[in-house]
Amino acid sequence: MKDPEEPMIPVELALEIVLREALPLPEERIPLADAAGRVLAQEVLSDSDHPPFAKALMDGYALRSADVREVPVELEVVEEIPAGKMPSHAVAAGQAARIMTGAPLPEGADAVQMVEKTGELSRDGHIQILEPVNPGANMAPRGQQLKAGQRVLSPGDFLTAARLGVLAGVGCGKVTVRRRPRVAVAPTGDELVDYDSVPEDGQIRNSNGVALMAAARTLGAGVSDSGIVRDDATALSECIATGLLSDLLLLSGGVSMGTYDLVERALEMQGVDVFFRKIAIRPGKPAVFGRKGRCLVFGLPGNPVSYLVIFEVLVAPAIRRMQGLPRPEGRFLHATLEATVVQRTGRTAYLPGTLRFVEGSARIRPIPTTGSADLPAYSRADALLILPAGRERVDAGERVEVLVLESSWQASLLG
Ligand code: AMP
Ligand code: MG
């Protein structure tokens, strides 16, 4: 049970515990076309040289560069080679082959002169070359990009559009990836009503559910909505029992010291091992983390900014690790503070801010906020500025540590 005297654990330790418990999920083999946004769990080697043959990079004439040192010069055109066809003649001295982009270069040719730098093809099959070319010009030698057997992608690589293209190019029709985490989202509270209904006196719309589901989904998780759960031991137990069938259960609300804050007790009743209950963080102190079997559980605070900060700091790293993704070190940077901030000491503070780059150096401006319920203010942030637990005041102009929000990191709002 919650003990008011229980010490808070430092944020770094909380993260260490979360990463210790969050293990990469099992692998699965899926068709390449379905693999965008997934994380590779295998090494992929190129099955052949790329390109597999020396090929033309321009429409024009395959020729011997030594023949066109002095221009203009006429060459005999021995054939036309469209893309997809093998040449049937070698190119001898004084000869050329008309060639299309992507077509294999004939034996003997060491360059392509582009059609724009040639004259008209004469009736008797000669072409006038108007400019010299260097050996190797406008062509790619076999294996220029990849050699057969060369590694193209590794476990942990996030599958972007370009990487799917690479995999298709090396004939990888199926890929082994990490299973997507299945995340159950369960907002709790007697005051909550569906967001598309009109609250009566004392009620508020459930905004945590949709936001948490979106946050998990954009990190690659598959989500299920447990619906609003009432502050009632039986309802909570039932919801938790079902949620524990997922890889990750995210509850919000009901983890403070109030009479109706029953989440932690319900978790323990369901056999969840709780690793910590209080973090030295502002906002987000009452955050419960535990595990039962393979399912990780967060009991997040109900206040919007609190659970979103805990999501950034602890839940997102867990979801990434379950998929086998490395830590995105680039989310952490240092920036110059643009306005003085004052806070109570004792906990590490995460304050919403807007980040911008001026001549390549990062600056962060704190967003005025009324606190952990101020979701509209938080929604304007693209980063959190981190104030160490011992600092009461940090002055404008000082350098501070900054955590770029997952949403801006992904949308690359920062370029
Ligand atoms: P709790 O952690 O349950 O004490 O909730 C803290 C604050 O967050 C209260 O003002 C709640 O009304 C609010 N809150 C809790 N859950 C939600 C939710 N799903 N949507 C919007 N606000 C919530
Ligand atoms: Mg509540």
PDB file of all heavy atoms in Angstrom, residues 312 331 333 351-357 363-365 367 377-385 402-414:
ATOM      1  N   GLU A 312       6.899  10.542 -21.747  1.00  0.00           N
ATOM      2  CA  GLU A 312       8.144  10.907 -22.449  1.00  0.00           C
ATOM      3  C   GLU A 312       9.372  10.287 -21.789  1.00  0.00           C
ATOM      4  O   GLU A 312      10.270   9.808 -22.466  1.00  0.00           O
ATOM      5  CB  GLU A 312       8.332  12.433 -22.457  1.00  0.00           C
ATOM      6  CG  GLU A 312       7.307  13.195 -23.256  1.00  0.00           C
ATOM      7  CD  GLU A 312       7.433  13.010 -24.752  1.00  0.00           C
ATOM      8  OE1 GLU A 312       8.549  12.765 -25.243  1.00  0.00           O
ATOM      9  OE2 GLU A 312       6.390  13.120 -25.435  1.00  0.00           O
ATOM     10  N   ARG A 331      17.464  12.963 -28.866  1.00  0.00           N
ATOM     11  CA  ARG A 331      16.372  13.668 -28.179  1.00  0.00           C
ATOM     12  C   ARG A 331      16.899  14.504 -27.029  1.00  0.00           C
ATOM     13  O   ARG A 331      16.209  15.379 -26.535  1.00  0.00           O
ATOM     14  CB  ARG A 331      15.355  12.663 -27.634  1.00  0.00           C
ATOM     15  CG  ARG A 331      14.406  12.119 -28.692  1.00  0.00           C
ATOM     16  CD  ARG A 331      13.350  11.249 -28.047  1.00  0.00           C
ATOM     17  NE  ARG A 331      12.426  12.023 -27.250  1.00  0.00           N
ATOM     18  CZ  ARG A 331      11.752  11.538 -26.207  1.00  0.00           C
ATOM     19  NH1 ARG A 331      11.915  10.289 -25.832  1.00  0.00           N
ATOM     20  NH2 ARG A 331      10.923  12.310 -25.525  1.00  0.00           N
ATOM     21  N   LEU A 333      19.514  17.205 -25.691  1.00  0.00           N
ATOM     22  CA  LEU A 333      20.502  18.182 -26.124  1.00  0.00           C
ATOM     23  C   LEU A 333      20.595  19.301 -25.092  1.00  0.00           C
ATOM     24  O   LEU A 333      19.883  19.291 -24.085  1.00  0.00           O
ATOM     25  CB  LEU A 333      20.160  18.712 -27.516  1.00  0.00           C
ATOM     26  CG  LEU A 333      18.718  19.076 -27.838  1.00  0.00           C
ATOM     27  CD1 LEU A 333      18.495  20.539 -27.593  1.00  0.00           C
ATOM     28  CD2 LEU A 333      18.441  18.769 -29.296  1.00  0.00           C
ATOM     29  N   LEU A 351       9.857  21.115 -17.604  1.00  0.00           N
ATOM     30  CA  LEU A 351       8.951  22.214 -17.940  1.00  0.00           C
ATOM     31  C   LEU A 351       8.777  22.322 -19.453  1.00  0.00           C
ATOM     32  O   LEU A 351       9.749  22.193 -20.197  1.00  0.00           O
ATOM     33  CB  LEU A 351       9.513  23.533 -17.408  1.00  0.00           C
ATOM     34  CG  LEU A 351       9.825  23.577 -15.909  1.00  0.00           C
ATOM     35  CD1 LEU A 351      10.469  24.899 -15.534  1.00  0.00           C
ATOM     36  CD2 LEU A 351       8.545  23.367 -15.107  1.00  0.00           C
ATOM     37  N   PRO A 352       7.528  22.586 -19.888  1.00  0.00           N
ATOM     38  CA  PRO A 352       7.312  22.677 -21.339  1.00  0.00           C
ATOM     39  C   PRO A 352       8.009  23.900 -21.923  1.00  0.00           C
ATOM     40  O   PRO A 352       8.045  24.956 -21.287  1.00  0.00           O
ATOM     41  CB  PRO A 352       5.791  22.800 -21.459  1.00  0.00           C
ATOM     42  CG  PRO A 352       5.335  23.323 -20.139  1.00  0.00           C
ATOM     43  CD  PRO A 352       6.303  22.832 -19.112  1.00  0.00           C
ATOM     44  N   GLY A 353       8.552  23.732 -23.104  1.00  0.00           N
ATOM     45  CA  GLY A 353       9.228  24.854 -23.747  1.00  0.00           C
ATOM     46  C   GLY A 353       9.169  24.749 -25.264  1.00  0.00           C
ATOM     47  O   GLY A 353       8.797  23.711 -25.819  1.00  0.00           O
ATOM     48  N   THR A 354       9.487  25.881 -25.892  1.00  0.00           N
ATOM     49  CA  THR A 354       9.611  25.846 -27.348  1.00  0.00           C
ATOM     50  C   THR A 354      11.088  25.980 -27.695  1.00  0.00           C
ATOM     51  O   THR A 354      11.796  26.833 -27.170  1.00  0.00           O
ATOM     52  CB  THR A 354       8.815  26.976 -28.017  1.00  0.00           C
ATOM     53  OG1 THR A 354       9.073  28.185 -27.321  1.00  0.00           O
ATOM     54  CG2 THR A 354       7.332  26.701 -27.982  1.00  0.00           C
ATOM     55  N   LEU A 355      11.510  25.114 -28.591  1.00  0.00           N
ATOM     56  CA  LEU A 355      12.911  25.008 -28.951  1.00  0.00           C
ATOM     57  C   LEU A 355      13.095  25.615 -30.328  1.00  0.00           C
ATOM     58  O   LEU A 355      12.254  25.442 -31.204  1.00  0.00           O
ATOM     59  CB  LEU A 355      13.260  23.519 -28.988  1.00  0.00           C
ATOM     60  CG  LEU A 355      14.709  23.111 -29.166  1.00  0.00           C
ATOM     61  CD1 LEU A 355      15.559  23.603 -28.010  1.00  0.00           C
ATOM     62  CD2 LEU A 355      14.790  21.584 -29.233  1.00  0.00           C
ATOM     63  N   ARG A 356      14.182  26.356 -30.491  1.00  0.00           N
ATOM     64  CA  ARG A 356      14.487  26.840 -31.833  1.00  0.00           C
ATOM     65  C   ARG A 356      15.993  26.929 -31.967  1.00  0.00           C
ATOM     66  O   ARG A 356      16.722  26.897 -30.967  1.00  0.00           O
ATOM     67  CB  ARG A 356      13.818  28.189 -32.110  1.00  0.00           C
ATOM     68  CG  ARG A 356      14.301  29.289 -31.225  1.00  0.00           C
ATOM     69  CD  ARG A 356      13.412  30.516 -31.328  1.00  0.00           C
ATOM     70  NE  ARG A 356      13.928  31.525 -30.436  1.00  0.00           N
ATOM     71  CZ  ARG A 356      14.484  32.671 -30.819  1.00  0.00           C
ATOM     72  NH1 ARG A 356      14.558  32.958 -32.095  1.00  0.00           N
ATOM     73  NH2 ARG A 356      14.942  33.530 -29.946  1.00  0.00           N
ATOM     74  N   PHE A 357      16.432  27.025 -33.191  1.00  0.00           N
ATOM     75  CA  PHE A 357      17.861  27.093 -33.449  1.00  0.00           C
ATOM     76  C   PHE A 357      18.188  28.435 -34.073  1.00  0.00           C
ATOM     77  O   PHE A 357      17.569  28.837 -35.052  1.00  0.00           O
ATOM     78  CB  PHE A 357      18.292  25.948 -34.372  1.00  0.00           C
ATOM     79  CG  PHE A 357      18.236  24.613 -33.678  1.00  0.00           C
ATOM     80  CD1 PHE A 357      17.061  23.878 -33.656  1.00  0.00           C
ATOM     81  CD2 PHE A 357      19.339  24.129 -33.004  1.00  0.00           C
ATOM     82  CE1 PHE A 357      16.995  22.663 -32.988  1.00  0.00           C
ATOM     83  CE2 PHE A 357      19.287  22.926 -32.333  1.00  0.00           C
ATOM     84  CZ  PHE A 357      18.114  22.183 -32.322  1.00  0.00           C
ATOM     85  N   ARG A 363      18.083  27.116 -28.563  1.00  0.00           N
ATOM     86  CA  ARG A 363      17.548  27.993 -27.516  1.00  0.00           C
ATOM     87  C   ARG A 363      16.202  27.456 -27.101  1.00  0.00           C
ATOM     88  O   ARG A 363      15.431  27.006 -27.938  1.00  0.00           O
ATOM     89  CB  ARG A 363      17.330  29.402 -28.059  1.00  0.00           C
ATOM     90  CG  ARG A 363      18.607  30.117 -28.309  1.00  0.00           C
ATOM     91  CD  ARG A 363      18.348  31.263 -29.246  1.00  0.00           C
ATOM     92  NE  ARG A 363      19.549  32.059 -29.345  1.00  0.00           N
ATOM     93  CZ  ARG A 363      19.781  33.156 -28.618  1.00  0.00           C
ATOM     94  NH1 ARG A 363      18.866  33.612 -27.794  1.00  0.00           N
ATOM     95  NH2 ARG A 363      20.904  33.802 -28.736  1.00  0.00           N
ATOM     96  N   ILE A 364      15.918  27.532 -25.800  1.00  0.00           N
ATOM     97  CA  ILE A 364      14.612  27.072 -25.336  1.00  0.00           C
ATOM     98  C   ILE A 364      13.924  28.161 -24.534  1.00  0.00           C
ATOM     99  O   ILE A 364      14.532  28.812 -23.695  1.00  0.00           O
ATOM    100  CB  ILE A 364      14.706  25.750 -24.541  1.00  0.00           C
ATOM    101  CG1 ILE A 364      13.304  25.235 -24.238  1.00  0.00           C
ATOM    102  CG2 ILE A 364      15.542  25.904 -23.263  1.00  0.00           C
ATOM    103  CD1 ILE A 364      13.198  23.755 -24.132  1.00  0.00           C
ATOM    104  N   ARG A 365      12.641  28.351 -24.853  1.00  0.00           N
ATOM    105  CA  ARG A 365      11.845  29.359 -24.152  1.00  0.00           C
ATOM    106  C   ARG A 365      10.785  28.628 -23.329  1.00  0.00           C
ATOM    107  O   ARG A 365       9.976  27.870 -23.880  1.00  0.00           O
ATOM    108  CB  ARG A 365      11.174  30.281 -25.171  1.00  0.00           C
ATOM    109  CG  ARG A 365      10.215  31.298 -24.563  1.00  0.00           C
ATOM    110  CD  ARG A 365       9.712  32.261 -25.625  1.00  0.00           C
ATOM    111  NE  ARG A 365      10.789  33.112 -26.113  1.00  0.00           N
ATOM    112  CZ  ARG A 365      11.194  34.227 -25.494  1.00  0.00           C
ATOM    113  NH1 ARG A 365      10.613  34.636 -24.379  1.00  0.00           N
ATOM    114  NH2 ARG A 365      12.175  34.939 -26.001  1.00  0.00           N
ATOM    115  N   ILE A 367       7.381  27.828 -21.531  1.00  0.00           N
ATOM    116  CA  ILE A 367       6.006  28.242 -21.827  1.00  0.00           C
ATOM    117  C   ILE A 367       5.309  28.530 -20.498  1.00  0.00           C
ATOM    118  O   ILE A 367       5.317  27.686 -19.607  1.00  0.00           O
ATOM    119  CB  ILE A 367       5.263  27.119 -22.592  1.00  0.00           C
ATOM    120  CG1 ILE A 367       5.920  26.892 -23.951  1.00  0.00           C
ATOM    121  CG2 ILE A 367       3.779  27.435 -22.730  1.00  0.00           C
ATOM    122  CD1 ILE A 367       5.383  25.695 -24.708  1.00  0.00           C
ATOM    123  N   ALA A 377      -1.352  24.652 -22.508  1.00  0.00           N
ATOM    124  CA  ALA A 377       0.013  25.198 -22.537  1.00  0.00           C
ATOM    125  C   ALA A 377       0.994  24.122 -22.988  1.00  0.00           C
ATOM    126  O   ALA A 377       1.838  24.352 -23.864  1.00  0.00           O
ATOM    127  CB  ALA A 377       0.402  25.729 -21.158  1.00  0.00           C
ATOM    128  N   TYR A 378       0.856  22.938 -22.424  1.00  0.00           N
ATOM    129  CA  TYR A 378       1.783  21.834 -22.765  1.00  0.00           C
ATOM    130  C   TYR A 378       1.693  21.481 -24.239  1.00  0.00           C
ATOM    131  O   TYR A 378       2.687  21.114 -24.868  1.00  0.00           O
ATOM    132  CB  TYR A 378       1.443  20.614 -21.901  1.00  0.00           C
ATOM    133  CG  TYR A 378       2.379  19.446 -22.111  1.00  0.00           C
ATOM    134  CD1 TYR A 378       3.535  19.302 -21.348  1.00  0.00           C
ATOM    135  CD2 TYR A 378       2.120  18.468 -23.080  1.00  0.00           C
ATOM    136  CE1 TYR A 378       4.402  18.226 -21.531  1.00  0.00           C
ATOM    137  CE2 TYR A 378       2.970  17.401 -23.280  1.00  0.00           C
ATOM    138  CZ  TYR A 378       4.105  17.279 -22.500  1.00  0.00           C
ATOM    139  OH  TYR A 378       4.956  16.225 -22.690  1.00  0.00           O
ATOM    140  N   SER A 379       0.493  21.606 -24.795  1.00  0.00           N
ATOM    141  CA  SER A 379       0.302  21.194 -26.191  1.00  0.00           C
ATOM    142  C   SER A 379       1.067  22.093 -27.158  1.00  0.00           C
ATOM    143  O   SER A 379       1.211  21.760 -28.331  1.00  0.00           O
ATOM    144  CB  SER A 379      -1.184  21.175 -26.554  1.00  0.00           C
ATOM    145  OG  SER A 379      -1.652  22.500 -26.683  1.00  0.00           O
ATOM    146  N   ARG A 380       1.542  23.241 -26.691  1.00  0.00           N
ATOM    147  CA  ARG A 380       2.340  24.121 -27.556  1.00  0.00           C
ATOM    148  C   ARG A 380       3.832  23.801 -27.488  1.00  0.00           C
ATOM    149  O   ARG A 380       4.628  24.371 -28.225  1.00  0.00           O
ATOM    150  CB  ARG A 380       2.111  25.588 -27.164  1.00  0.00           C
ATOM    151  CG  ARG A 380       0.718  26.090 -27.509  1.00  0.00           C
ATOM    152  CD  ARG A 380       0.618  27.602 -27.370  1.00  0.00           C
ATOM    153  NE  ARG A 380       0.623  28.020 -25.979  1.00  0.00           N
ATOM    154  CZ  ARG A 380      -0.444  28.080 -25.183  1.00  0.00           C
ATOM    155  NH1 ARG A 380      -1.632  27.734 -25.665  1.00  0.00           N
ATOM    156  NH2 ARG A 380      -0.347  28.485 -23.942  1.00  0.00           N
ATOM    157  N   ALA A 381       4.200  22.884 -26.609  1.00  0.00           N
ATOM    158  CA  ALA A 381       5.625  22.603 -26.403  1.00  0.00           C
ATOM    159  C   ALA A 381       6.164  21.665 -27.474  1.00  0.00           C
ATOM    160  O   ALA A 381       5.427  20.841 -28.017  1.00  0.00           O
ATOM    161  CB  ALA A 381       5.829  21.959 -25.033  1.00  0.00           C
ATOM    162  N   ASP A 382       7.439  21.823 -27.790  1.00  0.00           N
ATOM    163  CA  ASP A 382       8.084  20.791 -28.597  1.00  0.00           C
ATOM    164  C   ASP A 382       9.248  20.152 -27.847  1.00  0.00           C
ATOM    165  O   ASP A 382       9.902  19.254 -28.357  1.00  0.00           O
ATOM    166  CB  ASP A 382       8.515  21.303 -29.979  1.00  0.00           C
ATOM    167  CG  ASP A 382       9.117  22.675 -29.954  1.00  0.00           C
ATOM    168  OD1 ASP A 382       9.897  22.941 -29.029  1.00  0.00           O
ATOM    169  OD2 ASP A 382       8.798  23.469 -30.860  1.00  0.00           O
ATOM    170  N   ALA A 383       9.486  20.621 -26.624  1.00  0.00           N
ATOM    171  CA  ALA A 383      10.562  20.035 -25.829  1.00  0.00           C
ATOM    172  C   ALA A 383      10.303  20.303 -24.353  1.00  0.00           C
ATOM    173  O   ALA A 383       9.480  21.158 -24.000  1.00  0.00           O
ATOM    174  CB  ALA A 383      11.904  20.638 -26.239  1.00  0.00           C
ATOM    175  N   LEU A 384      10.984  19.542 -23.502  1.00  0.00           N
ATOM    176  CA  LEU A 384      10.927  19.777 -22.063  1.00  0.00           C
ATOM    177  C   LEU A 384      12.292  20.260 -21.619  1.00  0.00           C
ATOM    178  O   LEU A 384      13.313  19.681 -22.008  1.00  0.00           O
ATOM    179  CB  LEU A 384      10.592  18.469 -21.334  1.00  0.00           C
ATOM    180  CG  LEU A 384       9.218  17.886 -21.647  1.00  0.00           C
ATOM    181  CD1 LEU A 384       9.102  16.475 -21.087  1.00  0.00           C
ATOM    182  CD2 LEU A 384       8.119  18.777 -21.083  1.00  0.00           C
ATOM    183  N   LEU A 385      12.314  21.312 -20.816  1.00  0.00           N
ATOM    184  CA  LEU A 385      13.602  21.725 -20.266  1.00  0.00           C
ATOM    185  C   LEU A 385      13.726  21.116 -18.880  1.00  0.00           C
ATOM    186  O   LEU A 385      12.767  21.078 -18.112  1.00  0.00           O
ATOM    187  CB  LEU A 385      13.772  23.241 -20.279  1.00  0.00           C
ATOM    188  CG  LEU A 385      12.862  24.129 -19.476  1.00  0.00           C
ATOM    189  CD1 LEU A 385      13.583  24.601 -18.234  1.00  0.00           C
ATOM    190  CD2 LEU A 385      12.474  25.311 -20.328  1.00  0.00           C
ATOM    191  N   VAL A 402      17.823  19.542 -22.298  1.00  0.00           N
ATOM    192  CA  VAL A 402      16.515  19.570 -22.941  1.00  0.00           C
ATOM    193  C   VAL A 402      16.186  18.177 -23.471  1.00  0.00           C
ATOM    194  O   VAL A 402      17.066  17.463 -23.941  1.00  0.00           O
ATOM    195  CB  VAL A 402      16.559  20.587 -24.115  1.00  0.00           C
ATOM    196  CG1 VAL A 402      15.398  20.382 -25.066  1.00  0.00           C
ATOM    197  CG2 VAL A 402      16.568  22.012 -23.591  1.00  0.00           C
ATOM    198  N   LEU A 403      14.923  17.803 -23.331  1.00  0.00           N
ATOM    199  CA  LEU A 403      14.450  16.543 -23.916  1.00  0.00           C
ATOM    200  C   LEU A 403      13.442  16.901 -25.010  1.00  0.00           C
ATOM    201  O   LEU A 403      12.396  17.488 -24.721  1.00  0.00           O
ATOM    202  CB  LEU A 403      13.785  15.681 -22.834  1.00  0.00           C
ATOM    203  CG  LEU A 403      13.110  14.394 -23.283  1.00  0.00           C
ATOM    204  CD1 LEU A 403      14.107  13.437 -23.936  1.00  0.00           C
ATOM    205  CD2 LEU A 403      12.436  13.703 -22.103  1.00  0.00           C
ATOM    206  N   VAL A 404      13.764  16.571 -26.238  1.00  0.00           N
ATOM    207  CA  VAL A 404      12.850  16.851 -27.350  1.00  0.00           C
ATOM    208  C   VAL A 404      11.666  15.892 -27.244  1.00  0.00           C
ATOM    209  O   VAL A 404      11.850  14.687 -27.035  1.00  0.00           O
ATOM    210  CB  VAL A 404      13.568  16.656 -28.710  1.00  0.00           C
ATOM    211  CG1 VAL A 404      12.615  16.913 -29.867  1.00  0.00           C
ATOM    212  CG2 VAL A 404      14.778  17.575 -28.803  1.00  0.00           C
ATOM    213  N   LEU A 405      10.454  16.404 -27.336  1.00  0.00           N
ATOM    214  CA  LEU A 405       9.270  15.545 -27.218  1.00  0.00           C
ATOM    215  C   LEU A 405       9.243  14.520 -28.340  1.00  0.00           C
ATOM    216  O   LEU A 405       9.630  14.809 -29.470  1.00  0.00           O
ATOM    217  CB  LEU A 405       7.992  16.376 -27.272  1.00  0.00           C
ATOM    218  CG  LEU A 405       7.736  17.323 -26.099  1.00  0.00           C
ATOM    219  CD1 LEU A 405       6.388  18.017 -26.278  1.00  0.00           C
ATOM    220  CD2 LEU A 405       7.777  16.580 -24.776  1.00  0.00           C
ATOM    221  N   GLU A 406       8.764  13.330 -28.031  1.00  0.00           N
ATOM    222  CA  GLU A 406       8.657  12.267 -29.041  1.00  0.00           C
ATOM    223  C   GLU A 406       7.917  12.776 -30.274  1.00  0.00           C
ATOM    224  O   GLU A 406       8.303  12.497 -31.401  1.00  0.00           O
ATOM    225  CB  GLU A 406       7.890  11.064 -28.475  1.00  0.00           C
ATOM    226  CG  GLU A 406       8.701  10.177 -27.566  1.00  0.00           C
ATOM    227  CD  GLU A 406       9.718   9.316 -28.307  1.00  0.00           C
ATOM    228  OE1 GLU A 406       9.722   9.276 -29.550  1.00  0.00           O
ATOM    229  OE2 GLU A 406      10.532   8.690 -27.612  1.00  0.00           O
ATOM    230  N   SER A 407       6.828  13.542 -30.043  1.00  0.00           N
ATOM    231  CA  SER A 407       6.014  13.971 -31.174  1.00  0.00           C
ATOM    232  C   SER A 407       6.802  14.882 -32.105  1.00  0.00           C
ATOM    233  O   SER A 407       6.748  14.733 -33.324  1.00  0.00           O
ATOM    234  CB  SER A 407       4.755  14.667 -30.674  1.00  0.00           C
ATOM    235  OG  SER A 407       5.108  15.626 -29.712  1.00  0.00           O
ATOM    236  N   SER A 408       7.576  15.804 -31.553  1.00  0.00           N
ATOM    237  CA  SER A 408       8.336  16.701 -32.437  1.00  0.00           C
ATOM    238  C   SER A 408       9.525  15.966 -33.031  1.00  0.00           C
ATOM    239  O   SER A 408       9.930  16.230 -34.164  1.00  0.00           O
ATOM    240  CB  SER A 408       8.832  17.955 -31.741  1.00  0.00           C
ATOM    241  OG  SER A 408       8.536  17.970 -30.412  1.00  0.00           O
ATOM    242  N   TRP A 409      10.073  15.055 -32.267  1.00  0.00           N
ATOM    243  CA  TRP A 409      11.195  14.257 -32.760  1.00  0.00           C
ATOM    244  C   TRP A 409      10.755  13.481 -33.998  1.00  0.00           C
ATOM    245  O   TRP A 409      11.436  13.442 -35.009  1.00  0.00           O
ATOM    246  CB  TRP A 409      11.632  13.307 -31.648  1.00  0.00           C
ATOM    247  CG  TRP A 409      12.701  12.363 -32.009  1.00  0.00           C
ATOM    248  CD1 TRP A 409      12.559  11.026 -32.245  1.00  0.00           C
ATOM    249  CD2 TRP A 409      14.091  12.649 -32.173  1.00  0.00           C
ATOM    250  NE1 TRP A 409      13.777  10.482 -32.544  1.00  0.00           N
ATOM    251  CE2 TRP A 409      14.731  11.449 -32.506  1.00  0.00           C
ATOM    252  CE3 TRP A 409      14.852  13.823 -32.074  1.00  0.00           C
ATOM    253  CZ2 TRP A 409      16.095  11.365 -32.743  1.00  0.00           C
ATOM    254  CZ3 TRP A 409      16.208  13.734 -32.307  1.00  0.00           C
ATOM    255  CH2 TRP A 409      16.816  12.529 -32.632  1.00  0.00           C
ATOM    256  N   GLN A 410       9.563  12.891 -33.916  1.00  0.00           N
ATOM    257  CA  GLN A 410       9.097  12.071 -35.020  1.00  0.00           C
ATOM    258  C   GLN A 410       8.660  12.908 -36.204  1.00  0.00           C
ATOM    259  O   GLN A 410       8.904  12.570 -37.345  1.00  0.00           O
ATOM    260  CB  GLN A 410       7.944  11.171 -34.575  1.00  0.00           C
ATOM    261  CG  GLN A 410       8.461  10.026 -33.773  1.00  0.00           C
ATOM    262  CD  GLN A 410       7.364   9.341 -33.008  1.00  0.00           C
ATOM    263  OE1 GLN A 410       6.197   9.697 -33.155  1.00  0.00           O
ATOM    264  NE2 GLN A 410       7.727   8.386 -32.214  1.00  0.00           N
ATOM    265  N   ALA A 411       7.978  13.994 -35.894  1.00  0.00           N
ATOM    266  CA  ALA A 411       7.498  14.820 -36.998  1.00  0.00           C
ATOM    267  C   ALA A 411       8.640  15.649 -37.572  1.00  0.00           C
ATOM    268  O   ALA A 411       8.468  16.360 -38.547  1.00  0.00           O
ATOM    269  CB  ALA A 411       6.381  15.732 -36.508  1.00  0.00           C
ATOM    270  N   SER A 412       9.813  15.553 -36.934  1.00  0.00           N
ATOM    271  CA  SER A 412      10.985  16.332 -37.354  1.00  0.00           C
ATOM    272  C   SER A 412      10.636  17.807 -37.516  1.00  0.00           C
ATOM    273  O   SER A 412      11.044  18.456 -38.453  1.00  0.00           O
ATOM    274  CB  SER A 412      11.589  15.784 -38.646  1.00  0.00           C
ATOM    275  OG  SER A 412      12.356  14.669 -38.338  1.00  0.00           O
ATOM    276  N   LEU A 413       9.873  18.297 -36.548  1.00  0.00           N
ATOM    277  CA  LEU A 413       9.512  19.706 -36.578  1.00  0.00           C
ATOM    278  C   LEU A 413      10.760  20.570 -36.482  1.00  0.00           C
ATOM    279  O   LEU A 413      10.762  21.727 -36.842  1.00  0.00           O
ATOM    280  CB  LEU A 413       8.602  20.035 -35.403  1.00  0.00           C
ATOM    281  CG  LEU A 413       7.236  19.365 -35.420  1.00  0.00           C
ATOM    282  CD1 LEU A 413       6.423  19.786 -34.215  1.00  0.00           C
ATOM    283  CD2 LEU A 413       6.486  19.726 -36.695  1.00  0.00           C
ATOM    284  N   LEU A 414      11.815  19.943 -35.956  1.00  0.00           N
ATOM    285  CA  LEU A 414      13.039  20.714 -35.754  1.00  0.00           C
ATOM    286  C   LEU A 414      13.960  20.614 -36.932  1.00  0.00           C
ATOM    287  O   LEU A 414      15.089  21.080 -36.884  1.00  0.00           O
ATOM    288  CB  LEU A 414      13.742  20.206 -34.488  1.00  0.00           C
ATOM    289  CG  LEU A 414      12.848  20.283 -33.264  1.00  0.00           C
ATOM    290  CD1 LEU A 414      13.414  19.454 -32.142  1.00  0.00           C
ATOM    291  CD2 LEU A 414      12.692  21.718 -32.831  1.00  0.00           C
TER     292      LEU A 414
END
